Structure formats: C-alpha cells, structure tokens
Amino acid sequence: MGNKSYVKPTLVKQLAGVMNKFGNSYYKSYKESIDGVSVSSLTEKYGSPLFVFSEKKLRNQYRTFYKTFSTNYPNVQFSWSYKTNYLGSICNVYHQEGAIAEVVSAFEYEKARANGVKGSDIIFNGPYKGEKALEKAFAENAIVNLDSFDEIILAEAVAKKMEKQVKVGIRLNLDAGIYPQWYKFGFNLESGQAFEAANRIVHSKYLNLNGLHCHIGTFILEPQAYAKQVEKMLLFMQKLEKGFQITIDYLDIGGGFPSQSRLKGIYLPPDIVVPDIDEYAEAICSTLFKYLKPNEYPKLYLETGRALVDEAGYLITSVIAQKNLPDNTKSYFVDSGINLLYTSTWYNFNIQPDRQILGVPEQCKIFGSLCMNIDVLAESVYLPPLKNGHKLVFSPVGAYNITQWMQFISYRPAVVMVMTNGNTELIRRAEKLEDVTGCERIPEELSLS
Ligand SMILES: *Cc1c(COP(=O)(O)O)cnc(C)c1O
C-alpha cells in the first residue's frame, strides 16, 4: 500500500446565505467521460473549450416525450423549436425521430429547408415573418400562425397576389395562471381580440382559419397551467367552429416544459421541483378528452425545445489561472465565458471536474476569460482544489446557448456529437479569423497597404 499523497489543508469559512435548510451543497462528483468517451481525449482532439452533445440522450429524451404524449392522445406531432438549438445535426436527429420544424423567422425557415425539411412540415411562428418569407411559406404549404392584425392584412395581400386561398392559424395569448403573463405574442383571448382576429380571417376571401396556437411561456413548473391553457383553447375552438361553421384542424400548445437545470433563486434541486413529463401529459390530455367529441381529435402540436435538448449538451472548459480575491475567496479563470453560455444568467450549472481530485471542496468563484467584469460563470460553487489545465464540465447547456452565443472577443469553439455507435463527430468546426472578417469590407481609402 503506497503512501497517500499530501493534500494541503483547507479552512472553509461559513458565510451567511451559503447554507440553506437542506444542508450545504457540495459537488463532489466528477465527470471523466461523456457517453464513454473521455473528456481528455475529446479536448486533445478538438481543443478547449468544447461543446459536446450526446446523440443517445437526444434520442432517448425525444422518445420518452413522444411515447408519453402519443400513448395519451391519438393525434400528436412534435415540432422541433429551431431557436432552442438550430445546429443542423441536432435538428436532424429530431427530424429523423419524426419531429417537424418550428421556426420563428425567415432565417430559421431557410435553415429548416436547408436541413431538408419540406415546407409543409414547417410551423412558421414569430411576430416578424416578412412578405417574402410568407409568400414562400404559402407556396410551400407551411403551417403559418399569424401574430397581429397587421400580419393578417399582410398575409391576405400576399395570398391575393398569389391568387391562392391559404390556410392560417392564429396565435393566442391568455391567462393560464402563469405570471407575469406573456402578452407580446398573438391575440389576447379574454379581451375578445382573438375573436376579432378570427372574425377578420373568416371573412377574408383568401384566408381560411384552421388552427390555434398558444405558447404560455418557458420553464413552466406547473402542469395545471397547461390544463388551463388547453381548456381555454378548446372552448375558443368550439365557439369558432359553431359560430363560423369552420373546422379547426390543429391545436398547437407551444413549448415551455422545464429542463433539469437549477434555476437561480430556487434552492431545491431539479429532481424535486421539476415535475415529470407524465404529469404534463396527463394534465393536457385529460383536458382534451374532457372537451372533445369521440373521434374528433384535432392534431396536437407540441413545440417542446428546452426540455428535449438541454441535458444532452455539455461544455468542457479548462482552468487557465487562479486568484485569491481580497475577501479570500478562491477564484478560477476558465477558457470560456458568458459569450458562450448565455443561460448562465438564469442557471446554476452543474460543474464537475473531469477527474477525482483529493482535497476539501472550497467555496469558489469561476470567472470567464472575457475582458468584462460581468463575465462570471459561477458566483459560488464548491470545488476541490483545481490545478491549471484541469477541465471542468458544465451541464446542462444544450438549450439556448448554441443559438444565442456571441462572437465577442474570441472565436466560438467546436461542437461535437458523441454518436450512439461510440464514435465522435465534429458537427461545427471552431471559428477562424476568416469567419469573422468574411462579412466585412474595408473601403480602398481605409486600407493600410
Ligand atoms: C421558444 C419557443 C418554443 C420553445 O420553447 P421551450 O420553452 O424551449 O420549450 C416553442 N414555441 C414557440 C412559439 C417559441 O417561441
């Protein structure tokens, strides 16, 4: 038996606010590999920092969600929310699994078409679609949900110009008990505005109303909010069908299911605060059955984003320097920053070293490498004594980071996917100078040569 190696003793100062009634949060765990591929081999090959996605997790989560809803309701279609993560390989995993695309801009519409998705398999939402994109969407029979009276008028003009009668849905906002309530999108239900919008469309020569859409918010921790939302949508649907003698083909209930991430300000861990997907499915589907007549099941679209992709994504980053702050807090600097992790504003990430490290976990702060004081990736986290070069694995980071990351001060790193077969594939290479300067133009008189 060899001697144990020496480990420097550590004094851990107890600060008010760090403890809560559930005890101290020590993160003693470590993460050596992702789906069997070692963290060190990944960074050796692709560099650090590095985003890593697990194909297995993407598919398993999708299958769990699809099964949960499709066994509870006969007409379910998931639609992948592009803005949550529109890397082609991520989208295509969902498309291979059977999801169509949900896009909120002309750019995302083009991205979905470039990924190989048919126009008729695209749900087009968002407050600004634009005339050209609407024309393309109508020509390709996309599912278009209109957001404002101005957009109804625009859609009508586009359809008239095309000499085509087109089907459209409308987007609703309503009180489902989630506050602050989202009023920005679509037509308000309770005020009668949504009825006015429906009335306007029904009386148009070029537009046919056939769908209702509503996205009540994101990270909704209350399944009953969906029951309320669906109930209001169903009653509205019945009012329209009866009053105007039309058929509503689909109810699109948006996204908003939470992922297993720790929100700032919520002490309890996600496995306690985040309800199981079964509870959401039960709330939604039992409400549908309560109001629908047998054998009249409109299509139920789900635009789940965050809850499908978040846990499948990791960011590996390396410790590059350390400092003791004036109040004696230990701090580590890593080679990534808030430019890559937009969700650091809301989440306390799980932060795990890539190896078992001896020593008492100490409260420390993690700074990013941007030249900005606000670039803090963790205000307070317990970590064992790290050395420069040690890797940290941040998770979950699969939702809303890859689409909202910024090219600011440094290049955006590579993204890889660990495939179900054990191989690793590059799905976005690291950026180079030409990627940034490629869009620029320096006029002759500003040239230095
Ligand atoms: C962002 C968005 C979604 C996805 O929301 P999540 O909270 O990530 O599930 C779905 N539908 C619309 C219209 C959206 O804007």
Side-chain angles (χ1 to χ4, degrees):
M1 207 174 88
N3 288 338
K4 282 191 180 166
S5 52
Y6 172 77
V7 179
K8 160 182 107 54
T10 313
L11 279 177
V12 179
K13 187 160 114 189
Q14 288 303 335
L15 298 170
V18 173
M19 296 272 279
N20 62 62
K21 65 178 173 171
F22 305 101
N24 220 325
S25 37
Y26 277 77
Y27 296 99
K28 288 179 193 155
S29 63
Y30 59 100
K31 191 155 185 69
E32 244 169 358
S33 60
I34 295 169
D35 285 6
V37 181
S38 78
V39 167
S40 55
S41 72
L42 286 168
T43 50
E44 261 161 44
K45 182 151 180 207
Y46 300 102
S48 170
L50 178 69
F51 276 99
V52 183
F53 282 86
S54 155
E55 185 192 8
K56 203 193 298 174
K57 280 202 168 180
L58 292 170
R59 290 193 190 273
N60 285 350
Q61 186 78 339
Y62 182 86
R63 287 173 192 173
T64 303
F65 275 49
Y66 180 73
K67 198 169 148 203
T68 305
F69 279 91
S70 61
T71 51
N72 275 292
Y73 186 73
N75 197 1
V76 173
Q77 176 65 57
F78 276 81
S79 186
W80 173 240
S81 156
Y82 266 48
K83 77 171 189 295
T84 310
N85 188 326
Y86 44 60
L87 280 178
S89 302
I90 302 281
C91 296
N92 285 2
V93 166
Y94 294 121
H95 296 323
Q96 283 183 351
E97 291 290 331
I100 60 173
E102 188 268 334
V103 304
V104 292
S105 67
F107 156 69
E108 287 191 356
Y109 190 94
E110 281 178 27
K111 189 87 169 62
R113 295 288 289 121
N115 283 346
V117 181
K118 289 193 306 238
S120 57
D121 283 340
I122 299 178
I123 299 179
F124 198 178
N125 292 320
Y128 176 51
K129 304 175 183 74
E131 188 176 339
K132 269 201 187 135
L134 267 180
E135 187 170 343
K136 191 164 157 57
F138 287 154
E140 297 178 342
N141 298 314
I143 303 145
V144 178
N145 293 317
L146 300 177
D147 194 80
S148 62
F149 285 107
D150 295 296
E151 201 171 60
I152 293 176
I153 291 162
L154 178 66
E156 186 176 53
V158 170
K160 185 175 177 187
K161 194 178 108 195
M162 296 169 77
E163 295 176 357
K164 185 179 174 177
Q165 278 215 349
V166 298
K167 291 177 179 169
V168 292
I170 48 169
R171 194 160 170 177
L172 312 173
N173 67 68
L174 50 79
D175 182 357
I178 295 298
Y179 309 107
Q181 196 183 322
W182 283 16
Y183 294 112
K184 175 176 171 183
F185 306 106
F187 303 92
N188 184 255
L189 183 73
E190 290 86 359
S191 69
Q193 192 182 48
F195 187 80
E196 256 179 72
N199 191 35
R200 175 69 181 77
I201 293 172
V202 167
H203 290 96
S204 162
K205 254 167 66 183
Y206 296 95
L207 306 177
N208 293 323
L209 181 64
N210 80 325
L212 299 177
H213 173 281
C214 178
H215 172 67
I216 52 174
T218 194
F219 222 100
I220 306 291
L221 290 166
E222 181 47 74
Q224 281 312 310
Y226 286 94
K228 192 85 220 156
Q229 171 198 351
V230 169
E231 179 181 52
K232 289 195 170 185
M233 289 177 81
L234 284 163
L235 290 172
F236 187 58
M237 175 182 105
Q238 288 170 351
K239 179 174 171 182
L240 298 182
E241 289 191 331
K242 219 165 138 201
F244 296 125
Q245 299 298 308
I246 57 169
T247 305
I248 296 295
D249 299 323
Y250 67 88
L251 293 171
D252 183 338
I253 62 168
F257 302 139
S259 62
Q260 296 285 324
S261 43
R262 287 181 299 133
L263 282 185
K264 289 185 175 169
I266 295 185
Y267 278 120
L268 288 164
D271 49 344
I272 295 175
V273 266
V274 177
D276 202 79
I277 191 61
D278 292 334
E279 295 178 46
Y280 292 93
E282 161 65 24
I284 291 163
C285 298
S286 65
T287 310
L288 286 166
F289 284 118
K290 192 167 141 195
Y291 289 93
L292 291 172
K293 292 186 214 96
N295 302 319
E296 260 182 63
Y297 300 118
K299 183 155 273 179
L300 176 69
Y301 285 121
L302 289 135
E303 301 171 346
T304 312
R306 183 192 307 279
L308 285 178
V309 76
D310 215 8
E311 280 98 69
Y314 304 85
L315 177 71
I316 306 174
T317 186
S318 307
V319 177
I320 47 142
Q322 18 199 312
K323 256 177 217 178
N324 275 335
L325 303 181
D327 67 356
N328 253 325
T329 306
K330 179 124 203 163
S331 73
Y332 294 104
F333 284 66
V334 295
D335 61 358
S336 55
I338 55 168
N339 55 324
L340 301 184
L341 288 178
Y342 194 81
T343 58
S344 58
T345 317
W346 305 285
Y347 290 176
N348 288 315
F349 298 110
N350 296 315
I351 302 172
Q352 297 168 290
D354 69 333
R355 66 199 82 191
Q356 192 165 27
I357 294 166
L358 291 173
V360 180
E362 233 181 305
Q363 187 194 7
C364 53
K365 202 169 174 134
I366 301 183
F367 288 118
S369 45
L370 297 180
C371 200
M372 303 260 292
N373 199 46
I374 57 163
D375 185 22
V376 180
L377 290 176
E379 279 292 344
S380 169
V381 59
Y382 280 85
L383 287 171
L386 304 172
K387 296 203 172 94
N388 293 347
H390 279 175
K391 308 283 183 296
L392 293 173
V393 182
F394 280 58
S395 66
V397 302
Y400 295 105
N401 288 306
I402 296 285
T403 44
Q404 295 188 94
W405 58 357
M406 278 181 274
Q407 189 279 306
F408 176 58
I409 298 186
S410 54
Y411 299 122
R412 283 171 289 198
V415 184
V416 299
M417 189 183 288
V418 179
M419 310 304 289
T420 311
N421 65 13
N423 293 342
T424 304
E425 295 280 358
L426 184 66
I427 60 170
R428 193 182 196 269
R429 66 160 169 77
E431 287 175 347
K432 301 184 234 177
L433 185 61
E434 304 87 84
D435 295 320
V436 183
T437 54
C439 307
E440 291 185 25
R441 185 182 158 267
I442 299 180
E444 192 63 51
E445 60 268 42
L446 297 179
S447 169
L448 297 185
S449 53

